Amino acid sequence: MAAPKPIGMKQLFSEAGQSQQIHQLKVQIEELETELTQLRSGMLNAEEKAALEEQVKGLTDQLAYSGGVHEIEIQRIKPDPEQPRQTFPLYQLQERAESLRRHGQKTPIVLIPQPQSEYILFDGELRWRAAQLIGWHTLKAVLLPKQQILAAEEVFLGQLVTSIHSQKLHDLDLATALVKLIVYKYPDLKQFQADIPKTLNTAITQLRREQKHLELNQIRLASEQEQQEWLETAGLRKIEELEVITVLLGLQLNPISINNNIFPLMSLASDLKQVIRTEGLESSKARELNKLSAEQLNVDEVEALALRESITQKVIQSKLSLGDVKRLVNDTLAQYCPKKATQVSKIIKLSKTIQDFKVQTADREGLMSLQQILTDKLAEIQQALKQ
């Protein structure tokens, strides 16, 4: 059986000059590509998302009317390898699967035809995954010609930019995507991509020495030219440090936040990464559970893995809060390594003292002195956490 033919844009709109309606449809379909990318990345609030979903559905319906809806075998469909989102929690898949079971597939997925009658997902990966859970063999789809899609790097950048503040994009996905984008922009870093988080940490340390780190939050919002001028005087010594910082600032991200909260997820234990992918485990909880390492517990790797997996399942099944997770981890460390638990207890007390400190009642000179002490100590803490 011959593969269904993709929508030929030239053929579809060859009489655009003769029909205003067809001309308008062409414009709408071009907008669809951008809107599908936005919708897939999730950078929208609930109201905006609902409105855009309705609009995209209308445009997809028109695309289906013009080019036809095809029943495509699921096994011939592959996920988009450039998709920043890699986390699809099981509960989301189950919800979508139940919706498909009860109501059927209301909207076709959008595919890019590939050689040998295969297809790449442009939109609809959640539906594609969910359909497999309920044993479906085909999905309704509309086809986009490959030449209408931007180059892989441009598509990926567009997906990532619109995903930066998305609640759907997990921090682990963001960390992985940022490394990938940095390598896209600077191919010379490809063989060193595993060291990119370390390179960023070294750069932040250098910026602290130069007293430039406090300017990052402001300079990230500056123009590209202003950012480049700032980087030239920032005191960074290695070209790879400049390249990493340049990409992050170009995305209007604060490198300190990425260094402290995002890139550390790449060093999580592999079992915790898997739980993030399948269960959507929050990054803050994953970082706490990662403390249950063989070194911290003073046991071998096999025993540490078994214990960590057991506690992780308890966290997920009982839906424990972050505070509960911290207490559970600290209690476990106390059981296996009392000396380290005592140190943790002291740190918690110190943190409470700092939180209770009344900043408003302190004089300016004292606050400046305290700020310097805390800044230096924070740099030490970050270095210790990287080791």
Side-chain angles (χ1 to χ4, degrees), residues 108-141:
I109 60 175
V110 183
L111 303 175
I112 305 172
Q114 302 293 301
Q116 299 180 345
S117 299
E118 292 190 342
Y119 304 88
I120 293 291
L121 274 162
F122 184 68
D123 178 67
E125 184 165 348
L126 188 62
R127 278 167 284 169
W128 174 73
R129 289 173 176 265
Q132 296 175 67
L133 290 182
I134 54 177
W136 283 15
H137 299 292
T138 64
L139 278 172
K140 298 174 184 177

mmCIF file of all heavy atoms in Angstrom, residues 108-141:
data_model
loop_
_atom_site.group_PDB
_atom_site.id
_atom_site.type_symbol
_atom_site.label_atom_id
_atom_site.label_comp_id
_atom_site.label_asym_id
_atom_site.label_seq_id
_atom_site.Cartn_x
_atom_site.Cartn_y
_atom_site.Cartn_z
ATOM 1 N N PRO A 108 -6.235 15.277 15.167
ATOM 2 C CA PRO A 108 -5.121 14.513 14.579
ATOM 3 C C PRO A 108 -3.775 14.994 15.127
ATOM 4 O O PRO A 108 -3.606 16.159 15.459
ATOM 5 C CB PRO A 108 -5.233 14.815 13.081
ATOM 6 C CG PRO A 108 -6.612 15.354 12.876
ATOM 7 C CD PRO A 108 -6.975 16.040 14.147
ATOM 8 N N ILE A 109 -2.829 14.077 15.201
ATOM 9 C CA ILE A 109 -1.459 14.484 15.484
ATOM 10 C C ILE A 109 -0.856 15.030 14.188
ATOM 11 O O ILE A 109 -1.406 14.834 13.110
ATOM 12 C CB ILE A 109 -0.621 13.304 16.024
ATOM 13 C CG1 ILE A 109 -0.576 12.167 14.993
ATOM 14 C CG2 ILE A 109 -1.180 12.811 17.347
ATOM 15 C CD1 ILE A 109 0.333 11.019 15.399
ATOM 16 N N VAL A 110 0.256 15.736 14.307
ATOM 17 C CA VAL A 110 0.893 16.334 13.133
ATOM 18 C C VAL A 110 2.244 15.663 12.935
ATOM 19 O O VAL A 110 3.054 15.588 13.870
ATOM 20 C CB VAL A 110 1.066 17.857 13.307
ATOM 21 C CG1 VAL A 110 1.671 18.476 12.047
ATOM 22 C CG2 VAL A 110 -0.277 18.504 13.627
ATOM 23 N N LEU A 111 2.486 15.179 11.726
ATOM 24 C CA LEU A 111 3.688 14.401 11.438
ATOM 25 C C LEU A 111 4.493 15.012 10.300
ATOM 26 O O LEU A 111 3.945 15.660 9.410
ATOM 27 C CB LEU A 111 3.314 12.966 11.061
ATOM 28 C CG LEU A 111 2.498 12.159 12.075
ATOM 29 C CD1 LEU A 111 2.127 10.804 11.485
ATOM 30 C CD2 LEU A 111 3.267 11.990 13.376
ATOM 31 N N ILE A 112 5.799 14.755 10.332
ATOM 32 C CA ILE A 112 6.687 15.114 9.232
ATOM 33 C C ILE A 112 7.102 13.819 8.547
ATOM 34 O O ILE A 112 7.741 12.963 9.167
ATOM 35 C CB ILE A 112 7.941 15.847 9.739
ATOM 36 C CG1 ILE A 112 7.549 17.070 10.570
ATOM 37 C CG2 ILE A 112 8.835 16.259 8.566
ATOM 38 C CD1 ILE A 112 8.738 17.730 11.258
ATOM 39 N N PRO A 113 6.739 13.634 7.286
ATOM 40 C CA PRO A 113 7.106 12.393 6.578
ATOM 41 C C PRO A 113 8.619 12.229 6.477
ATOM 42 O O PRO A 113 9.355 13.196 6.291
ATOM 43 C CB PRO A 113 6.483 12.580 5.195
ATOM 44 C CG PRO A 113 5.383 13.575 5.406
ATOM 45 C CD PRO A 113 5.891 14.504 6.458
ATOM 46 N N GLN A 114 9.065 10.992 6.603
ATOM 47 C CA GLN A 114 10.468 10.624 6.500
ATOM 48 C C GLN A 114 10.631 9.562 5.418
ATOM 49 O O GLN A 114 9.642 8.993 4.946
ATOM 50 C CB GLN A 114 10.968 10.092 7.854
ATOM 51 C CG GLN A 114 10.825 11.071 9.005
ATOM 52 C CD GLN A 114 11.715 12.274 8.864
ATOM 53 O OE1 GLN A 114 12.937 12.148 8.782
ATOM 54 N NE2 GLN A 114 11.116 13.460 8.841
ATOM 55 N N PRO A 115 11.862 9.234 5.033
ATOM 56 C CA PRO A 115 12.075 8.158 4.054
ATOM 57 C C PRO A 115 11.536 6.819 4.562
ATOM 58 O O PRO A 115 11.388 6.611 5.769
ATOM 59 C CB PRO A 115 13.601 8.125 3.908
ATOM 60 C CG PRO A 115 14.052 9.498 4.318
ATOM 61 C CD PRO A 115 13.109 9.925 5.398
ATOM 62 N N GLN A 116 11.252 5.939 3.645
ATOM 63 C CA GLN A 116 10.812 4.571 3.931
ATOM 64 C C GLN A 116 9.504 4.541 4.718
ATOM 65 O O GLN A 116 9.305 3.717 5.621
ATOM 66 C CB GLN A 116 11.908 3.801 4.696
ATOM 67 C CG GLN A 116 13.198 3.673 3.901
ATOM 68 C CD GLN A 116 14.282 2.916 4.662
ATOM 69 O OE1 GLN A 116 14.187 2.725 5.867
ATOM 70 N NE2 GLN A 116 15.298 2.478 3.936
ATOM 71 N N SER A 117 8.607 5.486 4.390
ATOM 72 C CA SER A 117 7.245 5.507 4.955
ATOM 73 C C SER A 117 7.228 5.607 6.475
ATOM 74 O O SER A 117 6.371 5.011 7.140
ATOM 75 C CB SER A 117 6.475 4.254 4.503
ATOM 76 O OG SER A 117 6.363 4.229 3.101
ATOM 77 N N GLU A 118 8.184 6.342 7.035
ATOM 78 C CA GLU A 118 8.171 6.604 8.467
ATOM 79 C C GLU A 118 7.873 8.078 8.703
ATOM 80 O O GLU A 118 7.911 8.900 7.785
ATOM 81 C CB GLU A 118 9.506 6.211 9.106
ATOM 82 C CG GLU A 118 9.751 4.705 9.100
ATOM 83 C CD GLU A 118 10.952 4.317 9.947
ATOM 84 O OE1 GLU A 118 11.769 5.209 10.246
ATOM 85 O OE2 GLU A 118 11.070 3.129 10.289
ATOM 86 N N TYR A 119 7.585 8.406 9.962
ATOM 87 C CA TYR A 119 7.165 9.763 10.282
ATOM 88 C C TYR A 119 7.786 10.217 11.606
ATOM 89 O O TYR A 119 7.983 9.411 12.522
ATOM 90 C CB TYR A 119 5.634 9.842 10.390
ATOM 91 C CG TYR A 119 4.936 9.349 9.147
ATOM 92 C CD1 TYR A 119 4.621 7.995 8.997
ATOM 93 C CD2 TYR A 119 4.618 10.219 8.121
ATOM 94 C CE1 TYR A 119 4.002 7.533 7.850
ATOM 95 C CE2 TYR A 119 3.995 9.764 6.956
ATOM 96 C CZ TYR A 119 3.696 8.424 6.837
ATOM 97 O OH TYR A 119 3.098 7.963 5.695
ATOM 98 N N ILE A 120 8.062 11.528 11.686
ATOM 99 C CA ILE A 120 8.542 12.144 12.926
ATOM 100 C C ILE A 120 7.419 12.984 13.504
ATOM 101 O O ILE A 120 6.748 13.732 12.790
ATOM 102 C CB ILE A 120 9.786 13.030 12.664
ATOM 103 C CG1 ILE A 120 10.976 12.167 12.245
ATOM 104 C CG2 ILE A 120 10.138 13.851 13.902
ATOM 105 C CD1 ILE A 120 11.523 11.288 13.351
ATOM 106 N N LEU A 121 7.216 12.896 14.802
ATOM 107 C CA LEU A 121 6.180 13.689 15.468
ATOM 108 C C LEU A 121 6.555 15.166 15.485
ATOM 109 O O LEU A 121 7.640 15.543 15.923
ATOM 110 C CB LEU A 121 6.000 13.200 16.906
ATOM 111 C CG LEU A 121 5.042 12.033 17.115
ATOM 112 C CD1 LEU A 121 5.289 11.378 18.453
ATOM 113 C CD2 LEU A 121 3.599 12.501 17.004
ATOM 114 N N PHE A 122 5.640 15.973 14.977
ATOM 115 C CA PHE A 122 5.796 17.419 15.097
ATOM 116 C C PHE A 122 4.946 17.928 16.247
ATOM 117 O O PHE A 122 5.320 18.834 16.966
ATOM 118 C CB PHE A 122 5.384 18.097 13.785
ATOM 119 C CG PHE A 122 5.602 19.581 13.785
ATOM 120 C CD1 PHE A 122 6.888 20.096 13.808
ATOM 121 C CD2 PHE A 122 4.538 20.458 13.760
ATOM 122 C CE1 PHE A 122 7.104 21.465 13.805
ATOM 123 C CE2 PHE A 122 4.735 21.827 13.754
ATOM 124 C CZ PHE A 122 6.022 22.336 13.782
ATOM 125 N N ASP A 123 3.781 17.317 16.437
ATOM 126 C CA ASP A 123 2.918 17.634 17.566
ATOM 127 C C ASP A 123 2.081 16.415 17.905
ATOM 128 O O ASP A 123 1.563 15.742 17.011
ATOM 129 C CB ASP A 123 1.999 18.811 17.236
ATOM 130 C CG ASP A 123 1.056 19.132 18.386
ATOM 131 O OD1 ASP A 123 1.555 19.583 19.436
ATOM 132 O OD2 ASP A 123 -0.157 18.920 18.247
ATOM 133 N N GLY A 124 1.968 16.116 19.210
ATOM 134 C CA GLY A 124 1.103 15.020 19.634
ATOM 135 C C GLY A 124 1.799 13.857 20.298
ATOM 136 O O GLY A 124 1.268 12.743 20.326
ATOM 137 N N GLU A 125 2.988 14.093 20.876
ATOM 138 C CA GLU A 125 3.725 12.974 21.461
ATOM 139 C C GLU A 125 2.990 12.352 22.641
ATOM 140 O O GLU A 125 3.034 11.141 22.844
ATOM 141 C CB GLU A 125 5.128 13.410 21.891
ATOM 142 C CG GLU A 125 5.961 12.247 22.426
ATOM 143 C CD GLU A 125 7.436 12.550 22.517
ATOM 144 O OE1 GLU A 125 7.886 13.578 21.962
ATOM 145 O OE2 GLU A 125 8.159 11.742 23.140
ATOM 146 N N LEU A 126 2.300 13.185 23.445
ATOM 147 C CA LEU A 126 1.572 12.638 24.589
ATOM 148 C C LEU A 126 0.474 11.686 24.113
ATOM 149 O O LEU A 126 0.294 10.601 24.674
ATOM 150 C CB LEU A 126 0.979 13.771 25.427
ATOM 151 C CG LEU A 126 0.352 13.366 26.760
ATOM 152 C CD1 LEU A 126 1.403 12.748 27.685
ATOM 153 C CD2 LEU A 126 -0.307 14.558 27.442
ATOM 154 N N ARG A 127 -0.256 12.079 23.064
ATOM 155 C CA ARG A 127 -1.294 11.195 22.506
ATOM 156 C C ARG A 127 -0.683 9.921 21.940
ATOM 157 O O ARG A 127 -1.229 8.822 22.097
ATOM 158 C CB ARG A 127 -2.061 11.938 21.410
ATOM 159 C CG ARG A 127 -3.161 12.852 21.912
ATOM 160 C CD ARG A 127 -3.659 13.785 20.827
ATOM 161 N NE ARG A 127 -2.705 14.865 20.590
ATOM 162 C CZ ARG A 127 -2.775 15.700 19.565
ATOM 163 N NH1 ARG A 127 -3.725 15.573 18.667
ATOM 164 N NH2 ARG A 127 -1.882 16.665 19.417
ATOM 165 N N TRP A 128 0.464 10.056 21.278
ATOM 166 C CA TRP A 128 1.147 8.898 20.685
ATOM 167 C C TRP A 128 1.559 7.902 21.768
ATOM 168 O O TRP A 128 1.366 6.687 21.629
ATOM 169 C CB TRP A 128 2.362 9.402 19.906
ATOM 170 C CG TRP A 128 3.251 8.322 19.364
ATOM 171 C CD1 TRP A 128 2.989 7.489 18.321
ATOM 172 C CD2 TRP A 128 4.555 7.979 19.832
ATOM 173 N NE1 TRP A 128 4.060 6.646 18.105
ATOM 174 C CE2 TRP A 128 5.041 6.920 19.033
ATOM 175 C CE3 TRP A 128 5.370 8.482 20.847
ATOM 176 C CZ2 TRP A 128 6.287 6.351 19.224
ATOM 177 C CZ3 TRP A 128 6.616 7.914 21.044
ATOM 178 C CH2 TRP A 128 7.067 6.860 20.236
ATOM 179 N N ARG A 129 2.114 8.423 22.855
ATOM 180 C CA ARG A 129 2.527 7.536 23.954
ATOM 181 C C ARG A 129 1.308 6.907 24.636
ATOM 182 O O ARG A 129 1.315 5.717 24.982
ATOM 183 C CB ARG A 129 3.360 8.313 24.972
ATOM 184 C CG ARG A 129 4.759 8.698 24.475
ATOM 185 C CD ARG A 129 5.460 9.608 25.484
ATOM 186 N NE ARG A 129 6.822 9.918 25.081
ATOM 187 C CZ ARG A 129 7.898 9.270 25.486
ATOM 188 N NH1 ARG A 129 7.764 8.254 26.326
ATOM 189 N NH2 ARG A 129 9.104 9.612 25.085
ATOM 190 N N ALA A 130 0.281 7.714 24.870
ATOM 191 C CA ALA A 130 -0.905 7.225 25.569
ATOM 192 C C ALA A 130 -1.629 6.154 24.755
ATOM 193 O O ALA A 130 -2.143 5.170 25.313
ATOM 194 C CB ALA A 130 -1.843 8.387 25.861
ATOM 195 N N ALA A 131 -1.674 6.325 23.439
ATOM 196 C CA ALA A 131 -2.361 5.355 22.584
ATOM 197 C C ALA A 131 -1.738 3.970 22.701
ATOM 198 O O ALA A 131 -2.440 2.950 22.612
ATOM 199 C CB ALA A 131 -2.323 5.830 21.130
ATOM 200 N N GLN A 132 -0.443 3.935 22.913
ATOM 201 C CA GLN A 132 0.238 2.640 23.039
ATOM 202 C C GLN A 132 -0.142 1.934 24.338
ATOM 203 O O GLN A 132 -0.120 0.699 24.407
ATOM 204 C CB GLN A 132 1.750 2.856 22.970
ATOM 205 C CG GLN A 132 2.207 3.407 21.620
ATOM 206 C CD GLN A 132 3.686 3.730 21.593
ATOM 207 O OE1 GLN A 132 4.531 2.848 21.667
ATOM 208 N NE2 GLN A 132 4.008 5.015 21.490
ATOM 209 N N LEU A 133 -0.499 2.715 25.358
ATOM 210 C CA LEU A 133 -0.892 2.114 26.642
ATOM 211 C C LEU A 133 -2.196 1.340 26.526
ATOM 212 O O LEU A 133 -2.426 0.391 27.277
ATOM 213 C CB LEU A 133 -1.036 3.196 27.718
ATOM 214 C CG LEU A 133 0.232 3.891 28.219
ATOM 215 C CD1 LEU A 133 -0.120 4.895 29.307
ATOM 216 C CD2 LEU A 133 1.238 2.865 28.752
ATOM 217 N N ILE A 134 -3.069 1.770 25.606
ATOM 218 C CA ILE A 134 -4.374 1.108 25.489
ATOM 219 C C ILE A 134 -4.441 0.215 24.253
ATOM 220 O O ILE A 134 -5.523 -0.194 23.835
ATOM 221 C CB ILE A 134 -5.512 2.146 25.470
ATOM 222 C CG1 ILE A 134 -5.294 3.193 24.372
ATOM 223 C CG2 ILE A 134 -5.637 2.818 26.818
ATOM 224 C CD1 ILE A 134 -6.430 4.208 24.268
ATOM 225 N N GLY A 135 -3.281 -0.074 23.671
ATOM 226 C CA GLY A 135 -3.213 -1.061 22.605
ATOM 227 C C GLY A 135 -3.671 -0.595 21.241
ATOM 228 O O GLY A 135 -3.971 -1.425 20.374
ATOM 229 N N TRP A 136 -3.731 0.715 21.017
ATOM 230 C CA TRP A 136 -4.092 1.205 19.691
ATOM 231 C C TRP A 136 -2.966 0.903 18.702
ATOM 232 O O TRP A 136 -1.787 0.918 19.060
ATOM 233 C CB TRP A 136 -4.357 2.710 19.723
ATOM 234 C CG TRP A 136 -5.690 3.082 20.314
ATOM 235 C CD1 TRP A 136 -6.516 2.281 21.046
ATOM 236 C CD2 TRP A 136 -6.337 4.354 20.215
ATOM 237 N NE1 TRP A 136 -7.640 2.972 21.431
ATOM 238 C CE2 TRP A 136 -7.556 4.254 20.927
ATOM 239 C CE3 TRP A 136 -6.016 5.561 19.609
ATOM 240 C CZ2 TRP A 136 -8.442 5.318 21.044
ATOM 241 C CZ3 TRP A 136 -6.891 6.626 19.727
ATOM 242 C CH2 TRP A 136 -8.098 6.499 20.428
ATOM 243 N N HIS A 137 -3.342 0.682 17.454
ATOM 244 C CA HIS A 137 -2.349 0.385 16.417
ATOM 245 C C HIS A 137 -2.173 1.531 15.429
ATOM 246 O O HIS A 137 -1.168 1.590 14.723
ATOM 247 C CB HIS A 137 -2.742 -0.892 15.667
ATOM 248 C CG HIS A 137 -2.806 -2.105 16.546
ATOM 249 N ND1 HIS A 137 -1.679 -2.670 17.123
ATOM 250 C CD2 HIS A 137 -3.862 -2.838 16.979
ATOM 251 C CE1 HIS A 137 -2.043 -3.710 17.850
ATOM 252 N NE2 HIS A 137 -3.351 -3.832 17.791
ATOM 253 N N THR A 138 -3.159 2.431 15.370
ATOM 254 C CA THR A 138 -3.066 3.566 14.451
ATOM 255 C C THR A 138 -3.531 4.842 15.146
ATOM 256 O O THR A 138 -4.228 4.791 16.166
ATOM 257 C CB THR A 138 -3.939 3.352 13.197
ATOM 258 O OG1 THR A 138 -5.322 3.282 13.594
ATOM 259 C CG2 THR A 138 -3.529 2.097 12.456
ATOM 260 N N LEU A 139 -3.140 5.977 14.565
ATOM 261 C CA LEU A 139 -3.606 7.285 15.023
ATOM 262 C C LEU A 139 -3.964 8.122 13.805
ATOM 263 O O LEU A 139 -3.351 7.985 12.736
ATOM 264 C CB LEU A 139 -2.519 8.002 15.825
ATOM 265 C CG LEU A 139 -2.357 7.629 17.304
ATOM 266 C CD1 LEU A 139 -1.111 8.280 17.875
ATOM 267 C CD2 LEU A 139 -3.588 8.022 18.113
ATOM 268 N N LYS A 140 -4.956 8.985 13.983
ATOM 269 C CA LYS A 140 -5.294 9.929 12.930
ATOM 270 C C LYS A 140 -4.209 11.007 12.874
ATOM 271 O O LYS A 140 -3.776 11.511 13.909
ATOM 272 C CB LYS A 140 -6.645 10.575 13.212
ATOM 273 C CG LYS A 140 -7.809 9.584 13.246
ATOM 274 C CD LYS A 140 -9.082 10.274 13.676
ATOM 275 C CE LYS A 140 -10.224 9.272 13.813
ATOM 276 N NZ LYS A 140 -11.460 9.927 14.305
ATOM 277 N N ALA A 141 -3.788 11.357 11.669
ATOM 278 C CA ALA A 141 -2.692 12.312 11.527
ATOM 279 C C ALA A 141 -2.863 13.153 10.274
ATOM 280 O O ALA A 141 -3.464 12.712 9.288
ATOM 281 C CB ALA A 141 -1.348 11.587 11.490
#
